[in-house]
Amino acid sequence: MAIKLIYGERPFVLPTVAVEDILAADGLSLRLLLLLASDPQRLGATVEDLADRLRVKPQKVAQAMAELEACGVLTADGRATPTASAVRESAKKSEPKARVSELPTYTDTEFAALLEKRHELGDLITEAQNTLGKIFSVNETKILVSIAEEFGFDEEFLLVLLDFCRRNDRKSMRYIEKLATSLYDEGIRTTEALTEYLHRREARESVQERVRSIFGIGSRALTGKEKDFIIKWSETYGFAFPMIEKAYEITVDATSKPSLSYANRILESWYTEGLKTPEEVDAARAQKNGEKPSGMSFDVDEFFKAALDRSYRDEKQ
C-alpha cells in the first residue's frame, strides 16, 4: 500500500532524527504541530490564541510546545513565538496551585457560558454518565466540570477515575471530588500515573482485607502501625500472601493467638535470610532442625521461638 501525503503548495518536512520523539508525543502535541504547520501565520500566535483554537487550557499548549521544542521540530526566534523558557514559565504560572479545600462552584450563568465555549465538555459529561451508569443532576455535572477545569485533568484521566469509583461502588460526586483533589495534591495528574496509583491502591487494599480476615481483625479500621506492617510485608519485602499466611500459622502455634507484631518479627527474619516462599521456609527450618523438608507446617525451634518471644515482649512494653 502506497501512502501519499498532500499539503497543497506548502508542504512541511519533519527532521528524521526527531521521528522517534514525535511518535512518542501525546495527542495534543501532534494536534499543535499540525495546527502550526497548516498556516505560517499561526507561528506568530500567542499561547492563548492557540489554546482557544485547540479548545484546551493555555498551560496545556505551553507544555505541548515545550515538548515539541525538546523533540527538535520547532524553535523560537524571540519575536512572536514564545521561547522554551517563556513557555515553561507560562505553564508554571498558569498551573493551578495545590489545594485541599472544595472546588469552587459555578453559577447557572457561568456554567452555561462555559459549556457554550467548551463544546467538548458536553462529550465528557455524556461519557462520564455512561461510565458511572447514572444520569447526573445539574449539581453533579457542575462538580465534574469543575474538577476538569480547575485541575486540568483530561477526559481519559477522568474516565479512568470514574470507572475505578464505579467498580468500588463509590458513585457519589462528592466522594469523587475529594478523591480527585487528593490525587491532584499528590501530584498524580496524568492517566499513566493514575493507572499506576490505582493498581497499587487496589493491590494494597486486597492484601489488607485478607490480612484482616485471617488475623480476625473484623470490621474495625486498621491502625497506622498495622497498615505499615502490611505495606512492608507486601511491598517492601515483596512477599506473596502465602508467606503472610505461613507467618500467621507460626504465630498462632507459638502464642495461641494472632498478632501482627509477632508475625512481623517472623517475616523480618525470613526477609533477612532471603526466604521467599513457604517451601523455602520449610526447607530452611528443617535443615536447621536436622530434618528433611516435608512441605508441611513446622514447629519453631526453641532458639528461634525464644528470640521472637523476647522481641514481642519488648515491643509490647
Side-chain angles (χ1 to χ4, degrees), residues 149-191:
E149 287 295 289
E150 294 299 317
F151 292 150
F153 295 151
D154 60 25
E155 180 175 325
E156 183 182 11
F157 182 103
L158 289 169
L159 294 181
V160 169
L161 178 60
L162 293 175
D163 182 63
F164 168 80
C165 293
R166 177 191 59 78
R167 287 186 284 108
N168 288 274
D169 198 25
R170 305 299 296 268
K171 298 182 181 181
S172 164
M173 287 304 298
R174 285 300 179 188
Y175 171 81
I176 294 169
E177 176 186 357
K178 291 179 181 178
L179 178 56
T181 301
S182 175
L183 292 170
Y184 184 90
D185 289 343
E186 292 182 38
I188 300 171
R189 303 172 187 178
T190 67
T191 303

Side-chain angles (χ1 to χ4, degrees), residues 6-21:
I6 303 174
Y7 300 102
E9 297 180 355
R10 294 194 303 272
F12 70 97
V13 179
L14 300 178
T16 302
V17 294
V19 169
E20 291 302 321
D21 286 328

Side-chain angles (χ1 to χ4, degrees), residues 246 277-287 293-298:
K246 190 75 170 178
T277 67
E279 292 74 22
E280 290 179 357
V281 170
D282 284 338
R285 297 288 81 178
Q287 186 176 17
S294 64
M296 304 296 290
S297 294
F298 61 89

Side-chain angles (χ1 to χ4, degrees), residues 66-123:
E67 180 179 348
L68 290 174
E69 187 165 3
C71 291
V73 300
L74 61 79
T75 186
D77 60 10
R79 291 178 296 184
T81 306
T83 62
S85 59
V87 166
R88 286 189 287 270
E89 185 63 25
S90 174
K92 183 177 179 181
K93 289 180 179 179
S94 300
E95 184 177 349
K97 296 181 179 179
R99 67 204 75 189
V100 294
S101 59
E102 290 188 352
L103 294 171
T105 57
Y106 299 108
T107 66
D108 290 343
T109 301
E110 291 171 336
F111 189 58
L114 182 59
L115 293 181
E116 179 66 25
K117 181 179 180 181
R118 300 279 308 282
H119 298 291
E120 70 274 15
L121 289 175
D123 294 334

